[in-house]
Amino acid sequence: MASRSSALDSLEELESPTDSGSDYEATMKGTKRRKPAVSKQPPKRTRHNAALKGMSSPSGISVPTPPGPSPQSISQGTSMQLSARSVRSMNEESQIISAKDIYDAVCSGKSAMVTVVDEWLDSYKRSREAGLLVLINFIVQSCGCKGVVTRKMFDSMQNAEIISTLTKEFNEDSVNYPLCTPGPQLKRFKAGLCEFARVLVRSCRNSLVYDEYLFPSLLALLTGLSDSQVRAFRHTSTLLAIKLMTGLVEVAVVVSVQLQTTQQQYNTENSKRAHDRASDRLEELQATVRELRENREELSSMMNATFRGVFVHRYRDQLPEIRAVCIEELGLWLKMDPEDFLNDGCLKYLGWTMHDKERILSMVLDKDPDVAVEVVNLLLLIQQRTEEGLDEEECGHIYPLVYASHRGLASAAGGFLYNKLKGVMTSHSQENDKANNAAFFQILISFYIQSEFHEHGAYLVDSLWHVAGSELRDWETMTTFLLQDDELMYEEEGVLIELMMCAIRQAAQATPPVGRTQGKKNLSMKDKKIQEQDKRRITTHFIPLLPQLLAKYSADARNVKLLLKAPLYFDLEMYSSAQWLEKHLDLLLSQICGIVEKHTEVAVLEACAHLASTLSSDCYTFSSRAQLAFSQLFDVLTECFSTYVNDLLQGTADDDDTYSGATALKRIAALSSAKDPTAWKLFDSCLELLKSRMESRELDKELMVPAMKCAAFHLMWAKVNVVNSKPTEAELKRLKKEVRSFCRVCQDCLSLNQTDIRDQAFELLCDLLLLYSMGSVRSEPALRALAHLPSDSLRSELAAFLLDYVFTDTEDVELDAESEEEMKISLLQKKRNQLAGYCKLVIYGVLDLTAATDVFKHYSKYFKDFGDIIKETLSKSKLINPVQSAKTVCLSLQQLFSEMLTEHHSRQDLTEIRDLAKRLAMSFGIDLHRVRKPLVALHMDGIRFAFRDPQEGEEPNPNVAFLKILSEFSFKLLQPDRAQLAEFLKSACPSAALSWPPVKLYQRSLEARSTSKATEQEGGDEVPSHDTPVVKRRRTTAQGSASTTRGPWLDNSSIQSSLHTPALTSTVQKQPAKRMASRKPRPVESDISSSLTEPESEDEFSPGLQMRKVKPNKRRLASSSKNTPSPGQQDLNSHLNLLSLIEDDIAERDEDEIEDYQSDSDTGYTLPSTRHTSVSVLDELFD
């Protein structure tokens, strides 16, 4: 040990003042390798520090040369390249394993590494010079270097010269090298390389590790490579050197144990009396002790040189992978050999690495979640096992992570929070578990209130579930808190109810909340068993207590809304398992009815309706009791509404009567989503009420919105009833008349200035047009008379609604900072529902495909808000009719181009339209043969539009610039189609036009596979502008509606879809009693042949559909100018990837300072979305 310490101290000067090896150049030209005299066996050198002879710096370490003939001196600039054939022939002659063989075995990861090392050792024993050269070339190849160290270079050059030559002629193909190659190959190669180093040391531990040639030479070369500026050399050599040292530490530990054992045996034998001693045995033990000490000193010398020459410089390397491997192996050395490494000389490096707590705290926001998880776990250990731990300010960096979207990071933060909460509880130790759980909930409630991340209780519960599951399942403690008076403050009661409902959901569903991904989606049998047990315990505990909780909080809208969700997670069959439980069901039904009669908030009424629908389901034996209770409630509400309806219709109702009638109607509308209201015959009253209000212009949204809902639900339930029964012809005529009348009223509401009324009318129209479409009754011939087709004026009104109220920026509203974000999210969600409703009308054949132009032309501008919906619509339209879908895409661009000419006749800035064309072109996919016919149709329509005859008062060829837009689709064309389109262009345009820049640009796009070069060459005739004029919204007129005639359009199978009947658009509850019995429409097989003729007839895509006349919409009361959206800020998470192989010397740091850690992410943790949308939002919108 003393000799080890002296050796460590003697090499203190080897620490270099650089981090990346900049001192390498200063010491590169050291003395050449010694050339000993020729002899078959060299005289044995002194073991102690033999490996360190000739070392003046880590980069100047020379490789000891074996005895042999003195080679001729060669110049420093000698080329080191040796052809693979010459190397292979030399290997075959020597019959030794090649460097490539070892490299292939390491890369494959499947070879038995012991066999590979044994083969190399056999060749090394035959010729250790050739064997070492093979090993050196294997290391060079593992670094990704294509160079080869020749025998002449090996004999005549110092290590520094060899490394310099390899650096100059690295000849890399890319910045990647084997240790950083992405994919599974990286793990396989790294594991194989580490295994090779381990097996090599283990195979040499009894002999060759002490031969004063192999390992000193190998470690000297690796030390020099680890100081290189070439990242590949530095990374690979550091890994190998550190792994070799780990192997040497293992051998040193074994030798130390053997030395200690042998020394004890020697002392025992030596302590015997003279005549009892065995002199031969004593000499043998003494010789063994001497040899083991020499071996130990030899190992200490090599470990010391590696530690000082490699670890000391590389533990703070700029590359995080190098820093990680150094610190990881240091931890192993501390565990394996604490006698030698557990001292201040080695621990200081570990302390320096971890001393900067601020740096560690910043790493909890690392861009790699796995890194952040490990950092949080490390901070938990620091908190648990150190006296000082973390103060509250430092803990504040970790607490918010319980709301992070990454589940692993959130769970780690939950463990940290739980440990902190338990620490607070320990200081106020309680007598039993119940008291401890009560204290836990009080502290948790306080934390949740102070965290200010409200409405995220589900994420907090999920984060704590794996560590505090037993506390969060303590339903008795929670309900005791809630049922007792004066236990909690009002705000604390609300928080506890929220956390309790989140815990009930977590236990009953055993799934993470929305937005937090789960590693494995399928539950194991054990997890399913736990889930079933939790569900039974929840049901057993809450069945008798829930009516009491509802009674206590019945006047509190927020709390009662949460409590009404509890039965949705019950095992409801338990209500029928025992007679004494039926009284609790009656109490629950009574409370629900009382809440409906007491509240008018939409959220509370919808929660009651949802629960009523669940309890009334025919799958439960007690459903008749629930149906009776809600029927009685309906009677009360209907009677209340009937009391005021006459006065409301005649206009004689005062404010109190209007309020009472409106609240009754609002409650009826909410329950109508769960229960069939047709028996109460409210449709006529609601329709007359709407008509009277429209005529008198007394627009009361509190009265008209629920009236529209009641009438719409009546029609929806009526459709369900006629599908499930055999209605008479008179009943069908009456129902169709009701549908027509209601749609006419809703159409009139689309032009109102009342936002709530207008939005509700649009959503209900989308639902009813879909529900009463021809496709919905196609399988029922008797019901075809019910099909209601939208009129031309209604089609125009629906399209204008999109342009005026959906594809608009959020209007500036005076909101406080807290509610502004929530209002924006709510408004965006409403717009998304409205757009999805319109798109479903297109997809399911209610509107013609050309109606989608009003959607497609906003694809680029509103991609952030509606891109997923528009993309799905575009994809579905291609399934319906690929050719007509492509023509619709072209028509969208034509409309935008014409609007631009109308508004800015003297200025043609096509930047925005061309960006849209590029995005639409990418939607055609990569299968060019499949989209061949649609693309040809698109180009032909575009060419015709570009050279259409000018109208009266127009200049000749006003649309020729449209060819620039059309050129964005050319890269998708096949070569035969390019040639025919070029001929079609010549025949369609005047001969003089062939020299015009737009025509030349389009021609070049047809000649090349990509339009990028052509665009750049012709870019001079258009001036890009950041102030791109925004296309104003247009309202389409009935004259240019999407369909010319109804009859042929209805019978046109080309637009029929094989898709399922979608869900309704409205956000109100929809719980039909039975699923409508209808078959799927027959899918259409589109012909996608390779023919280049015009794909569609003029009847299917008439000229009248090519351009719909548009006029400015005067609907808004006040016009507001709209500026072009500014470019989005760069993502803070983005970072520059340095592709250079050699790192600049400027990046070097002072040796005496530790590099400052820079977090890979400037952004904070990711909070879950508050939009409460499901993971598959498109399934909700389109299925």
Side-chain angles (χ1 to χ4, degrees), residues 1016-1032:
E1016 293 174 1
Q1017 293 172 0
E1018 282 295 326
D1021 61 337
E1022 58 176 343
V1023 181
S1025 174
H1026 295 289
D1027 189 18
T1028 306
V1030 178
V1031 179
K1032 291 186 178 179

Side-chain angles (χ1 to χ4, degrees), residues 550-551 554-556 591 593-601 667:
L550 290 174
S554 60
D556 191 330
Q591 288 296 329
C593 294
I595 292 170
V596 172
E597 294 176 341
K598 189 178 295 184
H599 287 272
T600 58
E601 291 84 354
R667 292 164 181 152

Side-chain angles (χ1 to χ4, degrees), residues 168-234:
K168 293 176 182 178
E169 303 185 17
F170 197 93
N171 291 336
E172 77 286 351
D173 292 330
S174 68
V175 295
N176 289 332
Y177 51 94
L179 272 183
C180 73
T181 303
Q185 182 181 354
L186 168 62
K187 294 182 178 179
R188 192 163 56 242
F189 179 79
K190 183 178 179 181
L193 194 62
C194 296
E195 177 68 8
F196 177 81
R198 187 186 69 85
V199 174
L200 178 62
V201 177
R202 288 179 62 88
S203 300
C204 301
R205 66 182 182 274
N206 294 325
S207 57
L208 294 181
V209 76
Y210 310 113
D211 72 346
E212 298 182 349
Y213 177 72
L214 174 59
F215 279 88
S217 303
L218 185 59
L219 291 174
L221 177 65
L222 292 174
T223 302
L225 286 172
S226 69
D227 210 32
S228 172
Q229 291 183 357
V230 179
R231 180 179 298 182
F233 282 154
R234 199 169 71 252

